[in-house]
Amino acid sequence: ASRTQHVQDATANLPYAELVAKVRNGPPALSLFAIPGVDGLANLFEYFVHHEDLRRGQANWQPRQLPTDFADLLWSRISKSSRLLYRKVPVGVVFERNDAVAMTRLVARKGSPSITLRGDVGELVLRSYGRTAVNLETDGTATAVAAFNSAPLGI
């Protein structure tokens, strides 16, 4: 804990331009995240979710329309990680993505009863990480929705 605190304090005291350069240059050569592909896999959701946290932390925020290729990448990744993200949820969870050419459906977690989350993929990703400031429709019984809303989400 003391090492973590020391590193956090040192990072917090960096000049802004230097901090931006560190993020832009990526992980150090000896980091696990320097292995090709690992950084992108690990940080896609991390950066997206925290970027949206900042955007939505102000009055009158609106969901943004994501570029199609980025939305498709988010969908690909959430499709692969949903079982892990929803492993502690006691009900089934179905995604219905409505920002694609045709509505796309994914069983994020099998179970009965189940709920359906319907909306743009960015909103589905944010809800998957426990964010509630999202623009989604939720269908299901009141009991199933309550069980979902009280369950821990994310990794």
Side-chain angles (χ1 to χ4, degrees), residues 48 51-52 55 63-72 74 97 99 120-123 125:
F48 174 73
H51 177 86
E52 289 299 315
R55 288 186 66 253
R64 61 188 168 122
Q65 184 172 356
L66 301 174
T68 302
D69 58 342
F70 185 68
D72 290 345
L74 287 174
R97 176 185 174 192
D99 62 338
D120 292 354
V121 67
E123 304 300 298
V125 168

Side-chain angles (χ1 to χ4, degrees), residues 15-155:
Y16 183 74
E18 189 176 335
L19 182 59
V20 169
K22 284 181 76 115
V23 172
R24 183 175 287 137
N25 292 332
L30 297 177
S31 169
L32 172 67
F33 293 99
I35 298 171
V38 172
D39 187 44
L41 285 171
N43 287 321
L44 175 70
F45 289 148
E46 185 78 13
Y47 288 148
F48 174 73
V49 169
H50 291 305
H51 177 86
E52 289 299 315
D53 286 344
L54 292 172
R55 288 186 66 253
R56 293 164 191 234
Q58 55 190 312
N60 301 318
W61 68 268
Q62 292 293 318
R64 61 188 168 122
Q65 184 172 356
L66 301 174
T68 302
D69 58 342
F70 185 68
D72 290 345
L73 179 60
L74 287 174
W75 182 253
S76 172
R77 298 278 173 80
I78 199 71
S79 299
K80 294 172 186 164
S81 61
S82 61
R83 286 183 10 165
L84 176 64
L85 293 169
Y86 286 91
R87 70 191 180 285
K88 295 179 183 175
V89 175
V91 297
V93 180
V94 176
F95 291 162
E96 289 184 356
R97 176 185 174 192
N98 60 13
D99 62 338
V101 174
M103 188 199 44
T104 308
R105 187 176 164 91
L106 167 73
V107 176
R109 175 164 175 77
K110 294 179 183 178
S112 182
S114 67
I115 66 158
T116 300
L117 300 175
R118 186 175 304 107
D120 292 354
V121 67
E123 304 300 298
L124 293 166
V125 168
L126 290 165
R127 190 65 187 99
S128 297
Y129 279 85
R131 300 322 192 257
T132 55
V134 293
N135 187 18
L136 289 174
E137 294 176 35
T138 304
D139 291 334
T141 66
T143 304
V145 171
F148 171 78
N149 286 333
S150 64
L153 300 175
I155 298 172

Side-chain angles (χ1 to χ4, degrees), residues 1-14 19 22:
S2 64
R3 170 76 178 135
T4 299
Q5 188 63 52
H6 174 74
V7 171
Q8 288 176 336
D9 291 344
T11 302
N13 291 322
L14 289 174
L19 182 59
K22 284 181 76 115

